[in-house]
Amino acid sequence: MPAQPGKTRIGLIGLGIMGAPMALNLLKAGFQVKAYNRTDRPRVRQVVEAGAELLKTPREVAAASDIIITMVTDTPDMEAVILGEDGVIHGAARGAVVIDMSTVSPRATQQVAAELEKKGIEMLDAPVSGGDVGAQNGTLSIMVGGDQQVFDECVPVFEAMGKKITLIGGHGAGQTTKLCNQIAVSVNNLAMSEALMLAAASGLDVEKVLNAISGGAAGSWQLSNLGPRILNGDFAPGFMVRLQQKDLKLVLGAANDIKLALPGVSLAHQYFNIVERAGGAEEGTQALIKAYEMQAGKQARKG
Ligand code: NAP
């Protein structure tokens, strides 16, 4: 059973790559789960078989839940499921909590929180990092924005899905933190691509170079996890280029709002455009190297 009594009826809207395993972990932790997904998919049926009740609209889910989690793709999707015609706002009771765990705009998050507040509904923004594997294993890092008291009430719910759970500040602070995360991830990826490309274009054994630099001051998650995939020609997605591009647009939008220049991110975004134009939108983010390979006329592969 959940760690503490109180808000134990959970609604989950968006049973995608991330939302479906999160629902399974909530059920495993003993929470009652009501769910909604726009499309009937095998992973939706898997969540129902595990004990969730599937309802027809986000409004119905909200009406039957104390805490309503949304895990959808982008900002307009989050706005649609919360504020739209059959949205959460029309079903949730006063005192209910909406937790948006999608990666979306911090500014839109603040606006949605203000709309919910008018109806006495609380909101936390709680985007995650750790990928589909983190969602399956319940080891996500969760970055939260909102009120301390509301956060405290929701900790047992977060603990069912994640390991590192941090309240950063007020509404939007979780989303801004996630954008900081995406800056570090994408600019590291760019640095890795340039390093491997100079090695390949200089005729060096790229595998030896990768091993030599991975353990020193240049070491990173990107070099250790994505570097070997590039060398093996494995461009299957952990995290897709098109979702990375969505996040980089959010980063640049947030920076633009406060007139901050982030040239490293702009560069990564432009290079990912080259990859998307060449048909790589559904590939993993390690496909960034392809933008350099096209320029060099040479690939960074084993052997
Ligand atoms: P996904 O597999 O594409 O799932 C998206 C979910 O949102 C699906 O259930 C989809 O429903 C639903 N949805 C999208 N637009 C909707 C709308 N307008 N109305 C109703 N439902 C809608 O994506 P995901 O990988 O789970 O990602 C979800 C969020 O987590 C994104 O913001 C992503 O950036 C973030 N995230 C992803 C990862 C990762 O590794 N995948 C890691 C960290 C954060 P349908 O099934 O009907 O399409």
Side-chain angles (χ1 to χ4, degrees):
M1 285 305 287
Q4 70 185 43
K7 291 188 158 68
T8 56
R9 300 180 309 152
I10 312 299
L12 211 157
I13 291 158
L15 299 172
I17 289 175
M18 299 296 285
M22 286 159 60
L24 293 176
N25 282 327
L26 287 164
L27 287 163
K28 217 186 285 171
F31 289 103
Q32 253 185 60
V33 177
K34 311 271 186 212
Y36 165 81
N37 201 66
R38 183 179 54 180
T39 312
D40 184 24
R41 296 183 190 274
R43 64 173 159 253
V44 176
R45 287 194 287 277
Q46 198 192 341
V47 172
V48 172
E49 277 159 24
E53 186 183 348
L54 200 61
L55 298 179
K56 289 197 177 65
T57 61
R59 178 205 290 248
E60 284 181 28
V61 168
S65 308
D66 308 309
I67 292 177
I68 305 105
I69 296 171
T70 51
M71 192 54 168
V72 294
T73 313
D74 204 349
T75 305
D77 308 311
M78 178 277 285
E79 290 170 334
V81 297
I82 297 179
L83 303 180
E85 200 183 331
D86 262 323
V88 168
I89 196 166
H90 305 296
R94 291 186 80 79
V97 182
V98 175
I99 309 179
D100 178 44
M101 302 188 78
S102 334
T103 303
V104 298
S105 151
R107 191 154 49 116
T109 295
Q110 289 167 346
Q111 288 162 353
V112 170
E115 287 304 311
L116 290 171
E117 198 179 350
K118 288 180 197 163
K119 298 220 162 183
I121 305 163
E122 306 285 354
M123 183 173 180
L124 297 173
D125 46 297
V128 302
S129 94
D132 55 339
V133 175
Q136 286 155 21
N137 296 341
T139 55
L140 293 167
S141 288
I142 308 178
M143 305 149 236
V144 189
D147 291 346
Q148 180 77 54
Q149 198 192 324
V150 180
F151 171 78
D152 291 344
E153 271 188 302
C154 296
V155 165
V157 176
F158 289 135
E159 282 176 345
M161 298 179 283
K163 280 276 171 287
K164 192 163 178 65
I165 300 148
T166 316
L167 177 66
I168 308 284
H171 294 303
Q175 293 296 353
T176 302
T177 305
K178 171 72 183 184
L179 299 187
C180 299
N181 183 79
Q182 297 305 70
I183 295 172
V185 164
S186 60
V187 180
N188 255 310
N189 192 351
L190 194 76
M192 170 179 68
S193 303
E194 295 200 353
L196 295 182
M197 208 57 237
L198 178 64
S202 305
L204 303 185
D205 180 328
V206 197
E207 193 176 15
K208 278 190 183 165
V209 173
L210 178 65
N211 288 337
I213 68 175
S214 289
S220 68
W221 186 94
Q222 313 286 330
L223 275 177
S224 309
N225 290 279
L226 299 184
R229 292 190 206 175
I230 292 172
L231 267 49
N232 288 324
D234 172 7
F235 294 100
F239 188 57
M240 277 183 206
V241 167
R242 74 175 161 77
L243 283 181
Q244 177 73 90
Q245 286 289 68
K246 169 199 68 127
D247 291 356
L248 296 186
K249 273 184 252 165
L250 292 172
V251 171
L252 294 170
N256 199 44
D257 284 348
I258 55 169
K259 302 297 162 216
L260 180 73
L262 295 176
V265 174
S266 298
L267 199 59
H269 185 51
Q270 294 298 322
Y271 268 69
F272 274 120
N273 273 345
I274 298 175
V275 177
E276 286 199 291
R277 202 170 167 74
E282 308 281 315
E283 292 188 320
T285 51
Q286 66 274 26
L288 184 59
I289 189 95
K290 291 187 178 179
Y292 290 91
E293 292 176 345
M294 282 183 250
Q295 180 220 155
K298 202 164 170 45
Q299 292 186 330
R301 299 286 180 280
K302 256 185 197 167

